[in-house]
Amino acid sequence: MVHSDVTTDSGERLGENIATKSHTLHVEFKGAEPVKLWYDEIKDYDYNSPGFAPETGHFTQVVWKESTQLGMGKAKTPDGKNVYAVGSYRAPGNKFGAYVENVPPLL
């Protein structure tokens, strides 16, 4: 999997999360399942040392306060053994130095 380099007409890059599932038989993402996978990274996020980490980057993008628009899509391979879900975010998240104000702690 590779993140896209899609930009808007004005040149703004979008934030992006990708999830995949594979199986020997027909596989599917249902409802909010991909978002839950990304959000569940919260267990590894260190609010005492806010910032980017590869193991929590999906979570921080999901909750990024400045991101106000989201587009979701999914696609399956022709054999039905792999499914991909993609979330595109505008404005993109995970900006260095902006974590405290954009990844609020749970109340």
Side-chain angles (χ1 to χ4, degrees):
M1 289 186 300
V2 176
H3 284 277
S4 71
D5 57 2
V6 172
T7 58
T8 65
D9 290 340
S10 65
E12 176 188 25
R13 278 201 72 170
L14 300 176
E16 185 175 75
N17 280 342
I18 305 171
T20 186
K21 284 173 76 173
S22 300
H23 200 277
T24 56
L25 301 172
H26 180 77
V27 66
E28 189 61 77
F29 272 124
K30 295 188 169 104
E33 186 180 5
V35 178
K36 182 178 180 338
L37 290 172
W38 299 326
Y39 186 85
D40 284 349
E41 293 178 359
I42 189 173
K43 70 185 180 339
D44 297 317
Y45 190 72
D46 184 358
Y47 284 96
N48 294 316
S49 181
F52 180 78
E55 61 274 7
T56 60
H58 300 104
F59 159 71
T60 52
Q61 176 61 86
V62 166
V63 301
W64 198 262
K65 188 175 181 180
E66 289 178 357
S67 295
T68 59
Q69 296 177 328
L70 167 67
M72 293 288 295
K74 70 177 179 177
K76 288 198 296 189
T77 55
D79 63 8
K81 294 180 181 179
N82 300 287
V83 63
Y84 299 89
V86 178
S88 294
Y89 301 83
R90 184 174 181 193
N94 292 325
K95 294 178 191 169
F96 179 77
Y99 283 82
V100 171
E101 59 271 18
N102 280 285
V103 183
L106 296 174
L107 300 176

